[in-house]
Amino acid sequence: RKEVEQDPGPFNVPEGATVAFNCTYSNSASQSFFWYRQDCRKEPKLLMSVYSSGNEDGRFTAQLNRASQYISLLIRDSKLSDSATYLCVVSPPGYQLIWGAGTKLIIKP
Amino acid sequence: EAGVAQSPRYKIIEKRQSVAFWCNPISGHATLYWYQQILGQGPKLLIQFQNNGVVDDSQLPKDRFSAERLKGVDSTLKIQPAKLEDSAVYLCASGSGYRADTQYFGPGTRLTVL
């Protein structure tokens, strides 16, 4: 089993729809969780951190489910500009950061 | 505030040649990372520095890859000799701590090995 797994997609979603992705992790002792966004041929950029209590930033909501060992990202009222690859990052105990391979999202007009 | 600078942006070499990449982190950032991102995959950490000391190089192929961070600021990553499978984007990131939410990436160097 990979340490961090994501559905590669692509998710093809009409503009204005709600879409959600999950990211599963194998190390139950993982402590920190993040979602990054990566546009085509660009560097990754932090989208949001994921807290135990959940985290909302505008149209984006991130949740952590420790019992089932996954994090989720929900995007409401999707925009064309949301088209990107969404990478999850998990931090097990220690210094390491484990990156998922990303989920590709395509928002269609 | 200036971001993370990397050069060159693109490099094409033949297999068995050598190549070097340079990174200048954000001023004051003690942590510096080199990642390799192969097309369709997430970034893979190659090496992490804290100031000029190595924190993690467990995934660095040390038979061909080397990295240094002299004086705890700039860093260079070298590949010699290059293999076809080294074709990837090499991303440098710097941070004020160890958490991913303190990391900022440079634009990357796209390496093609022919």
Side-chain angles (χ1 to χ4, degrees):
Chain A
R1 182 183 174 187
K2 290 183 181 177
E3 291 186 86
V4 175
E5 289 197 78
Q6 296 184 252
D7 182 340
F11 284 53
N12 290 284
V13 174
E15 193 176 9
T18 295
V19 61
F21 332 119
N22 287 342
C23 166
T24 59
Y25 60 94
S26 60
N27 188 333
S28 59
S30 295
Q31 299 173 332
S32 305
F33 308 87
F34 309 92
W35 283 104
Y36 270 72
R37 171 197 169 121
Q38 186 170 27
D39 293 300
C40 188
R41 303 179 79 88
K42 298 285 190 181
E43 71 272 22
K45 292 186 178 177
L46 179 68
L47 180 64
M48 58 199 309
S49 304
V50 187
Y51 304 123
S52 297
S53 56
N55 189 23
E56 187 172 320
D57 183 4
R59 298 181 294 108
F60 297 82
T61 301
Q63 301 258 327
L64 167 62
N65 186 317
R66 283 197 182 275
S68 300
Q69 294 182 209
Y70 72 88
I71 61 172
S72 63
L73 179 67
L74 179 81
I75 306 174
R76 289 181 298 278
D77 187 24
S78 52
K79 313 289 184 193
L80 295 176
S81 57
D82 294 334
S83 296
T85 295
Y86 291 83
L87 298 154
C88 71
V89 184
V90 175
S91 180
Y95 301 123
Q96 281 195 329
L97 298 171
I98 311 297
W99 291 72
T103 295
K104 186 171 184 177
L105 174 65
I106 301 171
I107 306 297
K108 297 187 176 294
Chain B
E1 179 183 80
V4 177
Q6 288 189 248
S7 67
R9 293 294 310 278
Y10 304 91
K11 189 74 178 179
I12 300 174
I13 61 173
E14 296 192 348
K15 60 183 179 183
R16 291 188 289 273
Q17 286 188 322
S18 300
V19 64
F21 313 127
W22 173 81
C23 173
N24 189 339
I26 292 172
S27 177
H29 279 187
T31 311
L32 186 146
Y33 311 79
W34 282 104
Y35 289 90
Q36 178 193 61
Q37 187 173 24
I38 293 172
L39 188 65
Q41 299 182 18
K44 171 188 163 186
L45 180 68
L46 294 176
I47 189 166
Q48 178 181 344
F49 292 95
Q50 177 73 8
N51 296 309
N52 59 346
V54 175
V55 172
D56 183 358
D57 64 356
S58 57
Q59 298 192 91
L60 186 72
K62 297 180 185 64
D63 58 334
R64 298 184 301 106
F65 285 65
S66 64
E68 60 182 10
R69 192 184 184 196
L70 299 175
K71 301 181 182 178
V73 182
D74 295 19
S75 178
T76 57
L77 175 70
K78 295 179 182 177
I79 309 174
Q80 57 181 53
K83 293 185 175 181
L84 297 177
E85 59 262 35
D86 298 332
S87 293
V89 176
Y90 291 84
L91 294 159
C92 178
S94 72
S96 54
Y98 295 124
R99 286 171 54 95
D101 56 356
T102 65
Q103 253 183 109
Y104 297 87
F105 282 85
T109 297
R110 187 173 300 273
L111 174 67
T112 302
V113 182
L114 302 175

